[in-house]
């Protein structure tokens, strides 16, 4: 069991048995819930001081309860649940592996990925809502499923949306909005191929066809199909020339086409001016977003306009101060401009923003040695003397 997830044996509106890792995997919480109230929690703690990546939990159930073994060490008898064969459903996240002893009697369980029972919280934080199963006898209720998907999408819980419906998108076909929410979730999770299939089935002949085309472009981008994505974004832009998201993604896709999408396609350098123009327009529409300037900086560097590219990165940082990766990008560009002290300062800012940033730490070491060599070695301003055993005049060089 991964920390942060739980396994729940359900009967009607109650929970017969609730299992959830606690204290970063050092303990297992066991509980039950009747009506709308959690019972007193029982906790099993590991004796080993090591913190495991996963907890191994074994259940031995009888007609009078269940014996729970934690990591093959501690055990506790939990009788409050009674006979687990009464369970009508079990909620198991996809990250949890289960193995059933072939000699044990089967449980009549409906085991889909369409429900989640929220784990108990301390009383002072209030009551815990229960998500009711949207299925009866294993049959998905499409209306309730669509409602759950829309709710999770409204909370931007993309993993939850995918958990609810990714393996059953056909259940949402009667609800265009929920289907779009599922596609958006898959895009956010990097599952572009699945999103593409859903969006192509949805089609672009119905309402919000530009929205479908836009998200299809995003799904294609996730698959590094930047030229196809660019055509879709330009199609959206033709009907909505001042829609910021259309302008930005068209500029971004065009920039990827210029560079060849990190080796995924043949570069198209002839599009560089178009990319800069689109990104400039996007920057004018997205006045509090540094992404257009960040993309623009790469294009300006491609044209050899290093000072202009640096100015674009500085503006991107001003607009999006939380985008700490910009510090390291400025550092690299400042090295190209031979402004090593300024480059070192930006690398230090990147390291301060993320102490686990190995690239920033490595850049700092390199630049510090570079500066030391300039100040004390043959690259410093001064006279280079002839090697020993040779005659020759020293030559004045600049640092």
């Amino acid at each position: 069991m991964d920390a942060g997830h739980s396994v729940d044996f359900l009967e009607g509106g109650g929970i017969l048995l609730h299992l959830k890792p606690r204290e970063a995997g050092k303990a297992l919480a066991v509980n039950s819930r009747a009506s709308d109230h959690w019972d007193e929690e029982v906790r099993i703690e590991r004796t080993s001081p090591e913190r495991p990546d996963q907890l191994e939990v074994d259940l031995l159930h009888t007609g009078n309860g269940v014996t729970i073994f934690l990591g093959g060490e501690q055990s506790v008898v939990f009788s409050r649940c009674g006979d687990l064969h009464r369970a009508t459903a079990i909620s198991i996240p996809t990250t949890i592996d289960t193995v059933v002893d072939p000699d044990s009697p089967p449980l009549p369980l409906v085991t889909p990925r369409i429900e989640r029972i929220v784990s108990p919280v301390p009383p002072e934080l209030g009551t815990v809502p229960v998500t009711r199963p949207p299925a009866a006898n294993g049959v998905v209720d499409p209306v309730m499923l669509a409602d759950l998907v829309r709710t999770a999408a409204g909370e931007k819980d993309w993993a939850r949306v995918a958990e609810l419906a990714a393996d059953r998108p056909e259940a949402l076909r009667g609800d265009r909005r929920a289907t779009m929410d599922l596609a958006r979730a898959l895009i956010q999770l990097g599952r572009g191929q699945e999103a593409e299939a859903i969006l192509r089935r949805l089609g672009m002949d119905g309402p919000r066809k530009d929205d479908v085309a836009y998200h299809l472009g995003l799904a294609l981008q996730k698959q590094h199909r930047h030229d196809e994505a660019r055509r879709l974004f330009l199609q959206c832009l033709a009907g909505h020339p001042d829609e910021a998201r259309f302008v930005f993604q068209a500029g971004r896709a065009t920039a990827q086409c210029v560079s060849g999408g990190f080796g995924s396609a043949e570069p198209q350098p002839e599009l560089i001016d178009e990319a800069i123009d689109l990104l400039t327009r996007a920057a004018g529409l997205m006045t509090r977003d540094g992404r257009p300037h960040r993309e623009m900086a790469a294009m300006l560097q491609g044209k050899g306009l290093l000072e202009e590219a640096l100015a674009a990165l500085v503006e991107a940082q001003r607009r999006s101060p939380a985008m700490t990766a910009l510090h390291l990008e400025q550092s690299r560009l400042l090295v190209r401009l031979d402004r090593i002290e300024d480059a070192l300062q930006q690398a230090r800012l990147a390291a301060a923003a993320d102490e686990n940033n190995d690239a920033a730490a490595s850049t700092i070491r390199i630049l510090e040695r570079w500066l030391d060599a300039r100040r004390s070695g043959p690259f410093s301003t001064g006279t280079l003397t002839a090697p020993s055993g040779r005659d020759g005049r020293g030559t004045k060089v600049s640092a």
Side-chain angles (χ1 to χ4, degrees):
M1 296 178 63
D2 296 329
H5 295 293
S6 66
V7 173
D8 300 278
F9 291 79
L10 313 173
E11 181 191 28
I15 302 176
L16 298 177
L17 178 64
H18 168 87
L19 304 170
K20 182 176 178 64
R22 294 286 196 196
E23 298 180 8
K26 293 182 179 179
L28 178 72
V30 184
N31 208 342
S32 59
R33 177 176 177 136
S35 300
D36 294 326
H37 302 284
W38 288 100
D39 296 318
E40 184 178 354
E41 185 175 284
V42 176
R43 183 167 299 199
I44 314 173
E45 296 185 357
R46 289 171 52 89
T47 57
S48 173
E50 298 179 0
R51 185 172 67 185
D53 294 329
Q54 291 186 326
L55 283 179
E56 181 178 342
V57 180
D58 296 298
L59 303 179
L60 177 62
H61 54 83
T62 67
N64 297 318
V66 61
T67 302
I68 304 168
F69 298 88
L70 179 60
E73 300 174 350
Q74 295 73 34
S75 66
V76 66
V77 176
F78 189 78
S79 58
R80 196 188 304 158
C81 61
D83 186 358
L84 279 185
H85 287 83
R86 296 185 295 119
T88 57
I90 179 173
S91 174
I92 303 179
T94 56
T95 55
I96 295 180
D97 295 326
T98 59
V99 178
V100 178
D101 186 336
D103 295 330
S104 65
L107 292 176
L109 300 179
V110 179
T111 316
R113 297 159 50 192
I114 58 174
E115 61 174 315
R116 176 183 298 166
I117 305 300
V118 183
S119 301
V121 296
E124 62 271 14
L125 297 182
T127 59
V128 181
V130 176
T131 301
R132 303 297 182 186
N137 298 321
V139 179
V140 177
D141 181 342
V143 175
M144 191 175 293
L145 181 60
D147 184 59
L148 288 170
V149 165
R150 289 194 299 269
T151 299
E155 297 170 353
K156 298 189 183 301
D157 189 348
W158 305 120
R160 169 70 169 145
V161 173
E163 181 184 3
L164 284 164
D167 61 346
R168 60 188 81 227
E170 68 282 353
L172 296 174
R173 286 183 181 175
D175 193 307
R176 194 175 179 88
R177 177 186 163 192
T179 303
M180 280 294 304
D181 285 337
L182 174 58
R184 289 169 58 206
L186 293 170
I187 291 167
Q188 291 293 329
L189 296 171
R191 296 160 63 175
Q193 192 170 3
E194 294 173 73
E196 179 192 358
I198 290 170
L199 290 164
R200 290 198 186 280
R201 284 198 301 267
L202 193 61
M204 286 176 276
D205 296 329
R208 300 176 65 187
K209 61 181 181 180
D210 288 326
D211 201 36
V212 175
Y214 171 76
H215 284 91
L216 180 56
L218 294 179
L220 292 171
Q221 278 190 319
K222 293 294 183 182
Q223 302 172 68
H224 308 290
R225 293 157 60 184
H226 302 291
D227 201 32
E228 296 175 71
R230 171 176 171 268
R231 289 195 292 270
L232 284 168
F233 293 137
L234 290 176
Q235 172 187 319
C236 296
L237 197 55
H240 305 272
D242 295 323
E243 183 79 30
R245 58 176 180 156
F246 295 163
V247 180
F248 172 63
Q249 292 297 345
R252 187 167 179 261
T254 304
Q256 291 292 340
C257 290
V258 171
S259 64
F262 302 105
S264 61
E266 190 69 25
Q268 301 180 57
E270 67 276 8
L271 296 176
I272 192 167
D273 288 327
E274 180 183 335
I276 292 173
D277 177 63
L278 286 167
L279 292 167
T280 301
R281 287 170 56 192
L285 295 167
M286 303 164 65
T287 56
R288 296 184 180 181
D289 194 328
R291 291 178 299 164
H293 279 95
R294 185 185 190 183
E295 298 283 347
M296 195 190 312
M299 295 295 97
L300 293 169
Q301 288 186 68
K303 296 193 72 170
L305 303 173
L306 302 188
E307 292 288 354
E308 290 83 350
L310 178 61
L313 287 177
V314 170
E315 178 61 18
Q317 188 82 73
R318 186 190 70 80
R319 294 186 179 200
S320 298
M323 201 181 295
T324 55
L326 291 168
H327 290 301
L328 205 52
E329 293 177 24
Q330 290 180 65
S331 178
R332 291 166 180 156
L333 183 50
L334 286 162
V335 168
R336 295 184 65 185
L337 291 167
D338 200 28
R339 292 168 53 180
I340 308 303
E341 291 87 352
D342 293 336
L344 178 58
Q345 175 62 21
Q346 288 298 323
R348 286 171 174 164
L349 288 173
D354 180 4
E355 60 182 14
N356 296 317
N357 191 331
D358 293 334
S362 176
T363 301
I364 290 171
R365 289 194 297 269
I366 292 170
L367 294 179
E368 286 177 340
R369 292 172 184 172
W370 192 338
L371 284 175
D372 288 343
R374 278 196 165 187
R375 291 164 182 158
S376 59
F379 294 104
S380 60
T381 301
T383 301
L384 292 179
T385 58
S388 176
R390 295 185 183 182
D391 293 328
R393 295 183 178 180
T395 303
K396 190 80 169 183
V397 297
S398 299

